[in-house]
């Protein structure tokens, strides 16, 4: 679970963390492309946790959250 992932972070070198952050960013982008915003957001958050300086991950996360909010608003308006 999450505890084991967090524990593993302490065992990764800064280079490994940067590498895995980019992989998570790429996975997030792939999830977003197929319409899985929740999955994309989770990968972007993981990338940021691994490398807080990864500006692309923060930008993609912000955009994904904005898209997710737009969808929630449209759905709630359609239900009225």
């Amino acid at each position: 679970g999450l505890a084991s992932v967090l524990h593993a972070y302490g065992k990764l070198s800064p280079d490994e963390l940067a590498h895995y952050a980019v992989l998570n960013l790429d996975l997030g982008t792939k999830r977003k492309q197929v319409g899985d915003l929740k999955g994309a957001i989770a990968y972007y958050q993981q990338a940021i946790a691994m490398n807080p300086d990864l500006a692309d991950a923060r930008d993609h996360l912000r955009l994904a959250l904005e898209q997710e909010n737009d969808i929630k608003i449209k759905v709630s308006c359609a239900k009225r």
Side-chain angles (χ1 to χ4, degrees):
L2 182 60
S4 63
V5 171
L6 293 174
H7 179 70
Y9 282 175
K11 297 186 178 193
L12 295 175
S13 73
D15 286 344
E16 289 171 322
L17 281 171
H19 173 73
Y20 287 117
V22 171
L23 289 180
N24 275 276
L25 173 60
D26 290 343
L27 288 169
T29 301
K30 288 176 181 163
R31 295 314 312 157
K32 187 176 166 191
Q33 287 170 346
V34 297
D36 177 14
L37 286 178
K38 286 192 188 315
I41 288 166
Y43 280 119
Y44 295 146
Q45 289 171 331
Q46 188 84 355
I48 292 165
M50 292 178 163
N51 182 2
D53 296 328
L54 190 59
D56 283 351
R58 291 195 310 269
D59 292 342
H60 285 298
L61 176 61
R62 181 179 45 78
L63 291 171
L65 288 170
E66 286 175 4
Q67 273 189 321
E68 187 182 47
N69 286 335
D70 285 346
I71 290 169
K72 286 178 185 174
I73 290 167
K74 287 175 185 168
V75 168
S76 70
C77 289
K79 288 182 179 177
R80 292 183 183 172

